[in-house]
Amino acid sequence: MFTDRERLEAQKIRVIKDCLNETPIDIEGLKRCSVEEFGFVNKVLRKRIWPLLLNIDTNNIINHSEKIINHKDTDQVTKDVERSMWRFTKGNSQLRNRKKPELTRIVNAVLSIHPQLYYFQGYHEIASVLLLISDESLAFAMLERLSIYHFNDCMLPNFAEVLKVLNLIFPLISMVDQHVYNFIIKSQVQPMFAISWILTWFSHNLDELDTAARVYDYLLSAHPMASIYLSVCVITSQRETLLNLECSFDSIHAFFTSNLPELDFDKIIKQTDSLLEKITPSKLQSSSKVYLLPESQLNRYPYDWMIFNNNNTTTNSKSSKLITNNKGTNQKRQQIYKFIFFILFGSISLFGTFVFLSIKSPNTFKHINSFLSPLLFNLFNNRFNQNNITNGETVSNFNQ
Amino acid sequence: MEKKKNLEQDCIFRIVIIGYDYECGIKSLLKKFTLGEFSPFPESQVGVDFDIKTINVDNQDIKLQIWPQNKYFNDTSDKRDFLYKGAHGYLLVYGCHSQKSFDNLLNDWMVQIDKFSNEFSKRNLVLVCNNSETPETYMTKPNYLVDSNITKQWANSKNIPFFEINPKENFNVDEPFIQLARLIKNQNFINSTK
């Protein structure tokens, strides 16, 4: 009756709901789910989970419309929104027309509240994914959070930091696939073909909203530099096609800048997560000699608003600093504590039981006493033997 | 014979299209030239991309690598060097409904080209007036229609070929590219990117 895929999805949904039903919610479990097949599966779950990953206090989101002023990029935002959301709303002009004003508002609101952020083209693509998956209010709160942290380096006065990020891609490829790396270097292609991947988390390059959302499941859960690792795995996953191309700048650049083919992102995301675990962002920077600014938000992960357990703290609260880096240590300590607890509890229980029974049940005590009788008998026999030896000596003395 | 064939295959011209943001219809122009399609609502550009088109100039096939100018290039100096020093010629585009876009060419871009380009490519310029009445241009508030006579005079004084085009009506779209390629070719400046 159900297809294999539907059964697997249902099973995944159960795992996700188990994490959500934990008290407090199991954020780490959810992040692990983002790596596994199907990610967060559907729009309803994503609308619930994405704000949790960014620790959005959904009961205290400001009214963003009130904050909108005429900022430095208002005109450009208007133009970009006007020609946006064609791919994700194709065939549904009503949805597109309804969402465009919402998209304009949330983008302008973030840029109005945070004048230090510089708009870049592609920013509205991030916002449109958040908006189409959740609602206007949630999308604003999530976009604001991402803009200040994950995408902060893309929103500086110039693209110098973005260039550094791009320049990390080829060194990382050399650690993954030497053939692909040699081919790419020989062609003299520049890593700028990947800039829209980094700037929009691939949403500009994917045709289906579901696929873009699947990618966002992972990138919202992972290190903010995960998009670099994902880019590398996207490149190496197409190695067969790539190595058959003419080895030239324009053919390789054109190959990667056209819309991505249908890729198995579940598989690629698993590869990405393994790679990220194996080669940390700091290790990547030191080995490739490409260093982001020390104050870069990409170097400050995990952020102070991230918590291991969601205690419903407000957005600005820093009272809970149980950051994810301590999770391993906490787990070990918990295990040790559990072990000690079981030993002590067991001992105390046994002792208590013994004392209780010996007081309340004299019969049981007798039973124990009878158990000890054979031992007493053996002791008695030993003493008898000693007496015999004494008697022997007396007889010898008489004969003498 | 084989040598000539290789020469033809290696003949790649890198052209940079320059214009003021989206008030010139550069994206529509490029799409019409490379794909033969006209789209009034081309998707906004994210990052860096170029188009490739092979054209025939005086019985020789030439591959054009066409780069629209981009914030990314302007903001990072080594990428700016890549763009300008690697370019063989420039197509300067303005919209007939936007005086601002024409002024922007004169005041900003010509200075940039003169400052950063190499000796050869800065001479290979073609001026293009986009006459498409597309929603792109309607979305802005034009100061007034650009006087094409003034434009022609300015272009003549600079010895720059001038074309009026209309991608929507498929008028004169190829000619500016062909003329620019001819200028580059006549300079005997043929570069191999291999």
Side-chain angles (χ1 to χ4, degrees), chain B residues 182-193:
Chain B
R182 184 176 289 122
L183 286 177
I184 298 169
K185 179 167 170 287
N186 291 343
Q187 228 184 28
N188 293 320
F189 186 56
I190 299 172
N191 185 37
S192 169
T193 59

Side-chain angles (χ1 to χ4, degrees), chain A residues 29-201:
Chain A
L30 290 173
K31 290 184 175 181
R32 283 192 294 273
C33 288
S34 78
V35 180
E36 300 304 320
E37 198 171 12
F38 309 121
F40 299 135
V41 186
N42 60 42
K43 181 173 173 176
V44 174
L45 286 172
R46 287 183 171 117
K47 183 174 179 179
R48 171 110 189 261
I49 295 170
W50 284 7
L52 292 174
L53 296 171
L54 297 174
N55 197 17
I56 302 295
D57 182 0
T58 55
N59 295 317
N60 284 296
I61 299 175
I62 64 170
N63 183 351
H64 59 279
S65 297
E66 294 175 348
K67 305 293 182 180
I68 295 173
I69 61 170
N70 210 34
H71 56 88
K72 55 185 180 293
D73 289 302
T74 301
D75 287 343
Q76 190 64 55
V77 171
T78 302
K79 286 173 192 150
D80 286 342
V81 170
E82 184 59 29
R83 60 189 69 156
S84 72
M85 273 203 275
W86 289 92
R87 282 172 291 117
F88 295 156
T89 60
K90 46 177 170 275
N92 194 341
S93 59
Q94 285 184 0
L95 175 65
R96 180 167 62 245
N97 290 335
R98 182 166 21 105
K99 290 297 177 181
K100 273 182 180 177
E102 294 179 13
L103 182 60
T104 304
R105 282 196 291 271
I106 65 175
V107 168
N108 282 330
V110 174
L111 296 174
S112 299
I113 296 169
H114 302 279
Q116 81 279 10
L117 297 175
Y118 282 70
Y119 175 76
F120 62 89
Q121 287 183 296
Y123 183 71
H124 69 285
E125 309 248 14
I126 303 163
S128 64
V129 172
L130 302 174
L131 183 63
L132 290 167
I133 291 296
S134 59
D135 59 42
E136 185 177 346
S137 182
L138 283 175
F140 159 76
M142 291 194 282
L143 182 66
E144 184 185 33
R145 178 80 89 195
L146 290 172
S147 302
I148 297 171
Y149 292 94
H150 299 63
F151 287 102
N152 191 270
D153 282 22
C154 306
M155 306 188 80
L156 301 173
N158 61 54
F159 271 175
E161 292 305 296
V162 174
L163 176 64
K164 289 180 186 175
V165 168
L166 289 172
N167 284 339
L168 289 169
I169 290 176
F170 288 176
L172 187 54
I173 291 177
S174 73
M175 302 179 205
V176 174
D177 192 325
Q178 196 67 40
H179 281 84
V180 169
Y181 175 74
N182 292 338
F183 187 78
I184 277 174
I185 295 300
K186 185 181 174 188
S187 73
Q188 299 182 53
V189 73
Q190 300 274 322
M192 68 182 87
F193 61 76
I195 190 172
S196 63
W197 300 354
I198 301 295
L199 290 178
T200 70
W201 278 1

